[in-house]
Amino acid sequence: MADFIINTDDNVYVPAEDSYLLADNLQIKEGQSVLEIGTGSGIVAMYASRLTDRITVTDINFDACLLCEKNFKANSIENIEILFGNLFEPVKNRKFDVILFNTPYLPTEDDEVLDDTINYAFDGGLNGRKVIDLFLNEVGNHLNDGGIVQLIQSSLSGNDETLEMLDRLGFIAEIAASEHFFFEDITLINAYKI
């Protein structure tokens, strides 16, 4: 895969290993509708745009919405809809074939919370699951039957909890890929709606 022009912003998550773990393992077929939650710089959506032309991205960080728009233009990508808002709020009554999310998965103590929009990118609450659980509880309402959820999280935020929760919600889920870093594994979980 060729590289993209990526502009960055101090208030937006800079693409890192977790971004590319998702981008390199996308399960998207031509013509499928895709939603990426928390698009940040837009890097994952740009890779997705090579596989389908029906992509919507959301971000709770308005700086991220502006930055991904700049990055899409810099790479002549015109087939991505950008919506500002938290999780599924901007797509209330819509369903998609593929939903992507590089979650804010870091366990974060109160004194580690930053008073800035970049905080949205990593702050997973005390157990790393604050946003993951909200996402999982809603994702089935926005996924077409036979669709797939691909999410990135850390072993620090409870991979087994995510797999068990997805199982309870009627998905078939698996750890599809992982990379080991100093004190954690970054994992890609694929969950299929049956």
Side-chain angles (χ1 to χ4, degrees), residues 34 39 43 46 55 76 86-87 89 104 108 113 135 142 144 168 170-172 185:
V34 175
T39 193
I43 184 66
M46 289 192 278
I55 302 170
S76 302
N86 189 22
L87 294 174
E89 284 172 2
T108 309
V113 172
F135 171 80
H142 297 278
N144 289 323
R168 282 196 311 273
F171 289 85
I172 295 175
D185 289 327

mmCIF file with all atom_site columns, all heavy atoms in Angstrom, residues 34 39 43 46 55 76 86-87 89 104 108 113 135 142 144 168 170-172 185:
data_model
loop_
_atom_site.group_PDB
_atom_site.id
_atom_site.type_symbol
_atom_site.label_atom_id
_atom_site.label_alt_id
_atom_site.label_comp_id
_atom_site.label_asym_id
_atom_site.label_entity_id
_atom_site.label_seq_id
_atom_site.pdbx_PDB_ins_code
_atom_site.Cartn_x
_atom_site.Cartn_y
_atom_site.Cartn_z
_atom_site.occupancy
_atom_site.B_iso_or_equiv
_atom_site.pdbx_formal_charge
_atom_site.auth_seq_id
_atom_site.auth_comp_id
_atom_site.auth_asym_id
_atom_site.auth_atom_id
_atom_site.pdbx_PDB_model_num
ATOM 1   N N   . VAL A 1 34  ? -19.116 1.793   5.239  1.00 0.00 ? 34  VAL A N   1
ATOM 2   C CA  . VAL A 1 34  ? -18.168 1.750   6.348  1.00 0.00 ? 34  VAL A CA  1
ATOM 3   C C   . VAL A 1 34  ? -18.363 2.968   7.244  1.00 0.00 ? 34  VAL A C   1
ATOM 4   O O   . VAL A 1 34  ? -18.519 4.088   6.754  1.00 0.00 ? 34  VAL A O   1
ATOM 5   C CB  . VAL A 1 34  ? -16.713 1.737   5.824  1.00 0.00 ? 34  VAL A CB  1
ATOM 6   C CG1 . VAL A 1 34  ? -15.716 1.810   6.979  1.00 0.00 ? 34  VAL A CG1 1
ATOM 7   C CG2 . VAL A 1 34  ? -16.458 0.502   4.976  1.00 0.00 ? 34  VAL A CG2 1
ATOM 8   N N   . THR A 1 39  ? -12.089 9.020   13.997 1.00 0.00 ? 39  THR A N   1
ATOM 9   C CA  . THR A 1 39  ? -11.179 8.921   12.847 1.00 0.00 ? 39  THR A CA  1
ATOM 10  C C   . THR A 1 39  ? -9.838  9.617   13.056 1.00 0.00 ? 39  THR A C   1
ATOM 11  O O   . THR A 1 39  ? -8.860  9.253   12.424 1.00 0.00 ? 39  THR A O   1
ATOM 12  C CB  . THR A 1 39  ? -11.874 9.438   11.571 1.00 0.00 ? 39  THR A CB  1
ATOM 13  O OG1 . THR A 1 39  ? -11.105 9.066   10.436 1.00 0.00 ? 39  THR A OG1 1
ATOM 14  C CG2 . THR A 1 39  ? -12.064 10.946  11.611 1.00 0.00 ? 39  THR A CG2 1
ATOM 15  N N   . ILE A 1 43  ? -6.379  8.525   8.829  1.00 0.00 ? 43  ILE A N   1
ATOM 16  C CA  . ILE A 1 43  ? -5.497  7.570   8.134  1.00 0.00 ? 43  ILE A CA  1
ATOM 17  C C   . ILE A 1 43  ? -6.196  6.243   7.833  1.00 0.00 ? 43  ILE A C   1
ATOM 18  O O   . ILE A 1 43  ? -6.080  5.711   6.732  1.00 0.00 ? 43  ILE A O   1
ATOM 19  C CB  . ILE A 1 43  ? -4.181  7.339   8.923  1.00 0.00 ? 43  ILE A CB  1
ATOM 20  C CG1 . ILE A 1 43  ? -3.232  6.431   8.130  1.00 0.00 ? 43  ILE A CG1 1
ATOM 21  C CG2 . ILE A 1 43  ? -4.429  6.772   10.303 1.00 0.00 ? 43  ILE A CG2 1
ATOM 22  C CD1 . ILE A 1 43  ? -2.710  6.999   6.845  1.00 0.00 ? 43  ILE A CD1 1
ATOM 23  N N   . MET A 1 46  ? -8.630  6.591   5.036  1.00 0.00 ? 46  MET A N   1
ATOM 24  C CA  . MET A 1 46  ? -7.966  6.732   3.735  1.00 0.00 ? 46  MET A CA  1
ATOM 25  C C   . MET A 1 46  ? -7.615  5.371   3.148  1.00 0.00 ? 46  MET A C   1
ATOM 26  O O   . MET A 1 46  ? -7.803  5.123   1.965  1.00 0.00 ? 46  MET A O   1
ATOM 27  C CB  . MET A 1 46  ? -6.745  7.644   3.857  1.00 0.00 ? 46  MET A CB  1
ATOM 28  C CG  . MET A 1 46  ? -7.146  9.093   4.074  1.00 0.00 ? 46  MET A CG  1
ATOM 29  S SD  . MET A 1 46  ? -5.799  10.263  3.882  1.00 0.00 ? 46  MET A SD  1
ATOM 30  C CE  . MET A 1 46  ? -5.017  10.164  5.472  1.00 0.00 ? 46  MET A CE  1
ATOM 31  N N   . ILE A 1 55  ? -17.994 5.661   2.710  1.00 0.00 ? 55  ILE A N   1
ATOM 32  C CA  . ILE A 1 55  ? -17.349 5.775   4.017  1.00 0.00 ? 55  ILE A CA  1
ATOM 33  C C   . ILE A 1 55  ? -17.851 7.006   4.756  1.00 0.00 ? 55  ILE A C   1
ATOM 34  O O   . ILE A 1 55  ? -17.922 8.097   4.194  1.00 0.00 ? 55  ILE A O   1
ATOM 35  C CB  . ILE A 1 55  ? -15.816 5.858   3.866  1.00 0.00 ? 55  ILE A CB  1
ATOM 36  C CG1 . ILE A 1 55  ? -15.286 4.620   3.138  1.00 0.00 ? 55  ILE A CG1 1
ATOM 37  C CG2 . ILE A 1 55  ? -15.147 6.000   5.236  1.00 0.00 ? 55  ILE A CG2 1
ATOM 38  C CD1 . ILE A 1 55  ? -13.839 4.710   2.744  1.00 0.00 ? 55  ILE A CD1 1
ATOM 39  N N   . SER A 1 76  ? -6.488  13.856  -2.373 1.00 0.00 ? 76  SER A N   1
ATOM 40  C CA  . SER A 1 76  ? -7.524  13.811  -3.423 1.00 0.00 ? 76  SER A CA  1
ATOM 41  C C   . SER A 1 76  ? -8.575  12.734  -3.174 1.00 0.00 ? 76  SER A C   1
ATOM 42  O O   . SER A 1 76  ? -9.009  12.046  -4.109 1.00 0.00 ? 76  SER A O   1
ATOM 43  C CB  . SER A 1 76  ? -6.876  13.617  -4.803 1.00 0.00 ? 76  SER A CB  1
ATOM 44  O OG  . SER A 1 76  ? -5.967  14.662  -5.061 1.00 0.00 ? 76  SER A OG  1
ATOM 45  N N   . ASN A 1 86  ? -20.076 12.488  19.210 1.00 0.00 ? 86  ASN A N   1
ATOM 46  C CA  . ASN A 1 86  ? -19.606 11.398  20.050 1.00 0.00 ? 86  ASN A CA  1
ATOM 47  C C   . ASN A 1 86  ? -20.186 10.056  19.603 1.00 0.00 ? 86  ASN A C   1
ATOM 48  O O   . ASN A 1 86  ? -21.402 9.920   19.450 1.00 0.00 ? 86  ASN A O   1
ATOM 49  C CB  . ASN A 1 86  ? -20.002 11.679  21.502 1.00 0.00 ? 86  ASN A CB  1
ATOM 50  C CG  . ASN A 1 86  ? -19.358 10.712  22.467 1.00 0.00 ? 86  ASN A CG  1
ATOM 51  O OD1 . ASN A 1 86  ? -18.338 10.096  22.172 1.00 0.00 ? 86  ASN A OD1 1
ATOM 52  N ND2 . ASN A 1 86  ? -19.955 10.563  23.635 1.00 0.00 ? 86  ASN A ND2 1
ATOM 53  N N   . LEU A 1 87  ? -19.319 9.083   19.399 1.00 0.00 ? 87  LEU A N   1
ATOM 54  C CA  . LEU A 1 87  ? -19.710 7.719   19.041 1.00 0.00 ? 87  LEU A CA  1
ATOM 55  C C   . LEU A 1 87  ? -20.756 7.721   17.925 1.00 0.00 ? 87  LEU A C   1
ATOM 56  O O   . LEU A 1 87  ? -20.483 8.204   16.833 1.00 0.00 ? 87  LEU A O   1
ATOM 57  C CB  . LEU A 1 87  ? -20.183 6.951   20.286 1.00 0.00 ? 87  LEU A CB  1
ATOM 58  C CG  . LEU A 1 87  ? -19.104 6.691   21.345 1.00 0.00 ? 87  LEU A CG  1
ATOM 59  C CD1 . LEU A 1 87  ? -19.694 6.057   22.597 1.00 0.00 ? 87  LEU A CD1 1
ATOM 60  C CD2 . LEU A 1 87  ? -17.985 5.804   20.799 1.00 0.00 ? 87  LEU A CD2 1
ATOM 61  N N   . GLU A 1 89  ? -23.797 9.209   17.878 1.00 0.00 ? 89  GLU A N   1
ATOM 62  C CA  . GLU A 1 89  ? -24.747 10.333  17.839 1.00 0.00 ? 89  GLU A CA  1
ATOM 63  C C   . GLU A 1 89  ? -24.943 10.905  16.431 1.00 0.00 ? 89  GLU A C   1
ATOM 64  O O   . GLU A 1 89  ? -26.074 11.173  16.036 1.00 0.00 ? 89  GLU A O   1
ATOM 65  C CB  . GLU A 1 89  ? -24.296 11.450  18.791 1.00 0.00 ? 89  GLU A CB  1
ATOM 66  C CG  . GLU A 1 89  ? -24.554 11.150  20.251 1.00 0.00 ? 89  GLU A CG  1
ATOM 67  C CD  . GLU A 1 89  ? -23.908 12.186  21.173 1.00 0.00 ? 89  GLU A CD  1
ATOM 68  O OE1 . GLU A 1 89  ? -23.289 13.147  20.678 1.00 0.00 ? 89  GLU A OE1 1
ATOM 69  O OE2 . GLU A 1 89  ? -24.044 11.997  22.387 1.00 0.00 ? 89  GLU A OE2 1
ATOM 70  N N   . PRO A 1 104 ? -10.180 4.675   22.538 1.00 0.00 ? 104 PRO A N   1
ATOM 71  C CA  . PRO A 1 104 ? -9.330  5.243   23.590 1.00 0.00 ? 104 PRO A CA  1
ATOM 72  C C   . PRO A 1 104 ? -9.256  4.219   24.715 1.00 0.00 ? 104 PRO A C   1
ATOM 73  O O   . PRO A 1 104 ? -10.197 4.069   25.482 1.00 0.00 ? 104 PRO A O   1
ATOM 74  C CB  . PRO A 1 104 ? -10.073 6.517   24.009 1.00 0.00 ? 104 PRO A CB  1
ATOM 75  C CG  . PRO A 1 104 ? -11.475 6.321   23.579 1.00 0.00 ? 104 PRO A CG  1
ATOM 76  C CD  . PRO A 1 104 ? -11.497 5.302   22.488 1.00 0.00 ? 104 PRO A CD  1
ATOM 77  N N   . THR A 1 108 ? -6.770  5.349   32.672 1.00 0.00 ? 108 THR A N   1
ATOM 78  C CA  . THR A 1 108 ? -6.347  6.716   32.967 1.00 0.00 ? 108 THR A CA  1
ATOM 79  C C   . THR A 1 108 ? -6.824  7.146   34.349 1.00 0.00 ? 108 THR A C   1
ATOM 80  O O   . THR A 1 108 ? -8.021  7.140   34.620 1.00 0.00 ? 108 THR A O   1
ATOM 81  C CB  . THR A 1 108 ? -6.934  7.686   31.904 1.00 0.00 ? 108 THR A CB  1
ATOM 82  O OG1 . THR A 1 108 ? -6.629  7.177   30.602 1.00 0.00 ? 108 THR A OG1 1
ATOM 83  C CG2 . THR A 1 108 ? -6.351  9.073   32.030 1.00 0.00 ? 108 THR A CG2 1
ATOM 84  N N   . VAL A 1 113 ? -5.604  12.852  33.317 1.00 0.00 ? 113 VAL A N   1
ATOM 85  C CA  . VAL A 1 113 ? -6.512  13.409  32.318 1.00 0.00 ? 113 VAL A CA  1
ATOM 86  C C   . VAL A 1 113 ? -6.006  14.777  31.889 1.00 0.00 ? 113 VAL A C   1
ATOM 87  O O   . VAL A 1 113 ? -5.667  15.618  32.726 1.00 0.00 ? 113 VAL A O   1
ATOM 88  C CB  . VAL A 1 113 ? -7.948  13.524  32.895 1.00 0.00 ? 113 VAL A CB  1
ATOM 89  C CG1 . VAL A 1 113 ? -8.865  14.275  31.937 1.00 0.00 ? 113 VAL A CG1 1
ATOM 90  C CG2 . VAL A 1 113 ? -8.510  12.138  33.192 1.00 0.00 ? 113 VAL A CG2 1
ATOM 91  N N   . PHE A 1 135 ? -19.431 1.934   23.442 1.00 0.00 ? 135 PHE A N   1
ATOM 92  C CA  . PHE A 1 135 ? -19.403 1.565   22.025 1.00 0.00 ? 135 PHE A CA  1
ATOM 93  C C   . PHE A 1 135 ? -20.041 0.194   21.804 1.00 0.00 ? 135 PHE A C   1
ATOM 94  O O   . PHE A 1 135 ? -20.913 0.023   20.945 1.00 0.00 ? 135 PHE A O   1
ATOM 95  C CB  . PHE A 1 135 ? -17.951 1.578   21.532 1.00 0.00 ? 135 PHE A CB  1
ATOM 96  C CG  . PHE A 1 135 ? -17.763 1.006   20.158 1.00 0.00 ? 135 PHE A CG  1
ATOM 97  C CD1 . PHE A 1 135 ? -18.040 1.765   19.029 1.00 0.00 ? 135 PHE A CD1 1
ATOM 98  C CD2 . PHE A 1 135 ? -17.288 -0.289  19.989 1.00 0.00 ? 135 PHE A CD2 1
ATOM 99  C CE1 . PHE A 1 135 ? -17.862 1.240   17.750 1.00 0.00 ? 135 PHE A CE1 1
ATOM 100 C CE2 . PHE A 1 135 ? -17.103 -0.822  18.722 1.00 0.00 ? 135 PHE A CE2 1
ATOM 101 C CZ  . PHE A 1 135 ? -17.391 -0.050  17.596 1.00 0.00 ? 135 PHE A CZ  1
ATOM 102 N N   . HIS A 1 142 ? -26.219 -0.393  14.880 1.00 0.00 ? 142 HIS A N   1
ATOM 103 C CA  . HIS A 1 142 ? -25.754 0.348   13.698 1.00 0.00 ? 142 HIS A CA  1
ATOM 104 C C   . HIS A 1 142 ? -25.054 -0.551  12.682 1.00 0.00 ? 142 HIS A C   1
ATOM 105 O O   . HIS A 1 142 ? -24.486 -0.059  11.714 1.00 0.00 ? 142 HIS A O   1
ATOM 106 C CB  . HIS A 1 142 ? -24.821 1.482   14.137 1.00 0.00 ? 142 HIS A CB  1
ATOM 107 C CG  . HIS A 1 142 ? -25.514 2.488   14.994 1.00 0.00 ? 142 HIS A CG  1
ATOM 108 N ND1 . HIS A 1 142 ? -26.283 3.505   14.474 1.00 0.00 ? 142 HIS A ND1 1
ATOM 109 C CD2 . HIS A 1 142 ? -25.600 2.602   16.345 1.00 0.00 ? 142 HIS A CD2 1
ATOM 110 C CE1 . HIS A 1 142 ? -26.792 4.214   15.468 1.00 0.00 ? 142 HIS A CE1 1
ATOM 111 N NE2 . HIS A 1 142 ? -26.403 3.680   16.606 1.00 0.00 ? 142 HIS A NE2 1
ATOM 112 N N   . ASN A 1 144 ? -25.297 -3.784  10.020 1.00 0.00 ? 144 ASN A N   1
ATOM 113 C CA  . ASN A 1 144 ? -26.161 -4.665  9.237  1.00 0.00 ? 144 ASN A CA  1
ATOM 114 C C   . ASN A 1 144 ? -25.893 -6.116  9.603  1.00 0.00 ? 144 ASN A C   1
ATOM 115 O O   . ASN A 1 144 ? -24.774 -6.471  9.991  1.00 0.00 ? 144 ASN A O   1
ATOM 116 C CB  . ASN A 1 144 ? -25.917 -4.451  7.734  1.00 0.00 ? 144 ASN A CB  1
ATOM 117 C CG  . ASN A 1 144 ? -26.442 -3.110  7.256  1.00 0.00 ? 144 ASN A CG  1
ATOM 118 O OD1 . ASN A 1 144 ? -27.483 -2.648  7.705  1.00 0.00 ? 144 ASN A OD1 1
ATOM 119 N ND2 . ASN A 1 144 ? -25.724 -2.487  6.338  1.00 0.00 ? 144 ASN A ND2 1
ATOM 120 N N   . ARG A 1 168 ? -22.052 -12.104 24.419 1.00 0.00 ? 168 ARG A N   1
ATOM 121 C CA  . ARG A 1 168 ? -23.376 -11.875 25.026 1.00 0.00 ? 168 ARG A CA  1
ATOM 122 C C   . ARG A 1 168 ? -24.285 -11.065 24.103 1.00 0.00 ? 168 ARG A C   1
ATOM 123 O O   . ARG A 1 168 ? -25.503 -11.223 24.121 1.00 0.00 ? 168 ARG A O   1
ATOM 124 C CB  . ARG A 1 168 ? -23.240 -11.133 26.360 1.00 0.00 ? 168 ARG A CB  1
ATOM 125 C CG  . ARG A 1 168 ? -22.806 -11.990 27.524 1.00 0.00 ? 168 ARG A CG  1
ATOM 126 C CD  . ARG A 1 168 ? -23.060 -11.321 28.866 1.00 0.00 ? 168 ARG A CD  1
ATOM 127 N NE  . ARG A 1 168 ? -22.578 -9.951  28.958 1.00 0.00 ? 168 ARG A NE  1
ATOM 128 C CZ  . ARG A 1 168 ? -21.341 -9.603  29.318 1.00 0.00 ? 168 ARG A CZ  1
ATOM 129 N NH1 . ARG A 1 168 ? -20.455 -10.540 29.602 1.00 0.00 ? 168 ARG A NH1 1
ATOM 130 N NH2 . ARG A 1 168 ? -21.003 -8.331  29.402 1.00 0.00 ? 168 ARG A NH2 1
ATOM 131 N N   . GLY A 1 170 ? -24.365 -11.235 20.935 1.00 0.00 ? 170 GLY A N   1
ATOM 132 C CA  . GLY A 1 170 ? -24.730 -11.979 19.734 1.00 0.00 ? 170 GLY A CA  1
ATOM 133 C C   . GLY A 1 170 ? -23.729 -11.916 18.597 1.00 0.00 ? 170 GLY A C   1
ATOM 134 O O   . GLY A 1 170 ? -24.067 -12.180 17.445 1.00 0.00 ? 170 GLY A O   1
ATOM 135 N N   . PHE A 1 171 ? -22.488 -11.585 18.905 1.00 0.00 ? 171 PHE A N   1
ATOM 136 C CA  . PHE A 1 171 ? -21.434 -11.562 17.891 1.00 0.00 ? 171 PHE A CA  1
ATOM 137 C C   . PHE A 1 171 ? -20.561 -12.804 18.007 1.00 0.00 ? 171 PHE A C   1
ATOM 138 O O   . PHE A 1 171 ? -20.482 -13.415 19.065 1.00 0.00 ? 171 PHE A O   1
ATOM 139 C CB  . PHE A 1 171 ? -20.530 -10.336 18.089 1.00 0.00 ? 171 PHE A CB  1
ATOM 140 C CG  . PHE A 1 171 ? -21.164 -9.024  17.745 1.00 0.00 ? 171 PHE A CG  1
ATOM 141 C CD1 . PHE A 1 171 ? -21.948 -8.339  18.668 1.00 0.00 ? 171 PHE A CD1 1
ATOM 142 C CD2 . PHE A 1 171 ? -20.954 -8.438  16.500 1.00 0.00 ? 171 PHE A CD2 1
ATOM 143 C CE1 . PHE A 1 171 ? -22.522 -7.120  18.358 1.00 0.00 ? 171 PHE A CE1 1
ATOM 144 C CE2 . PHE A 1 171 ? -21.522 -7.215  16.185 1.00 0.00 ? 171 PHE A CE2 1
ATOM 145 C CZ  . PHE A 1 171 ? -22.307 -6.554  17.103 1.00 0.00 ? 171 PHE A CZ  1
ATOM 146 N N   . ILE A 1 172 ? -19.910 -13.144 16.917 1.00 0.00 ? 172 ILE A N   1
ATOM 147 C CA  . ILE A 1 172 ? -18.816 -14.108 16.965 1.00 0.00 ? 172 ILE A CA  1
ATOM 148 C C   . ILE A 1 172 ? -17.549 -13.267 16.888 1.00 0.00 ? 172 ILE A C   1
ATOM 149 O O   . ILE A 1 172 ? -17.317 -12.570 15.891 1.00 0.00 ? 172 ILE A O   1
ATOM 150 C CB  . ILE A 1 172 ? -18.874 -15.095 15.792 1.00 0.00 ? 172 ILE A CB  1
ATOM 151 C CG1 . ILE A 1 172 ? -20.127 -15.964 15.908 1.00 0.00 ? 172 ILE A CG1 1
ATOM 152 C CG2 . ILE A 1 172 ? -17.617 -15.949 15.751 1.00 0.00 ? 172 ILE A CG2 1
ATOM 153 C CD1 . ILE A 1 172 ? -20.340 -16.894 14.735 1.00 0.00 ? 172 ILE A CD1 1
ATOM 154 N N   . ASP A 1 185 ? -0.164  -5.675  25.033 1.00 0.00 ? 185 ASP A N   1
ATOM 155 C CA  . ASP A 1 185 ? -0.402  -6.090  23.655 1.00 0.00 ? 185 ASP A CA  1
ATOM 156 C C   . ASP A 1 185 ? -1.485  -5.181  23.099 1.00 0.00 ? 185 ASP A C   1
ATOM 157 O O   . ASP A 1 185 ? -2.508  -4.961  23.751 1.00 0.00 ? 185 ASP A O   1
ATOM 158 C CB  . ASP A 1 185 ? -0.907  -7.540  23.589 1.00 0.00 ? 185 ASP A CB  1
ATOM 159 C CG  . ASP A 1 185 ? 0.180   -8.534  23.944 1.00 0.00 ? 185 ASP A CG  1
ATOM 160 O OD1 . ASP A 1 185 ? 1.351   -8.265  23.636 1.00 0.00 ? 185 ASP A OD1 1
ATOM 161 O OD2 . ASP A 1 185 ? -0.134  -9.576  24.547 1.00 0.00 ? 185 ASP A OD2 1
#
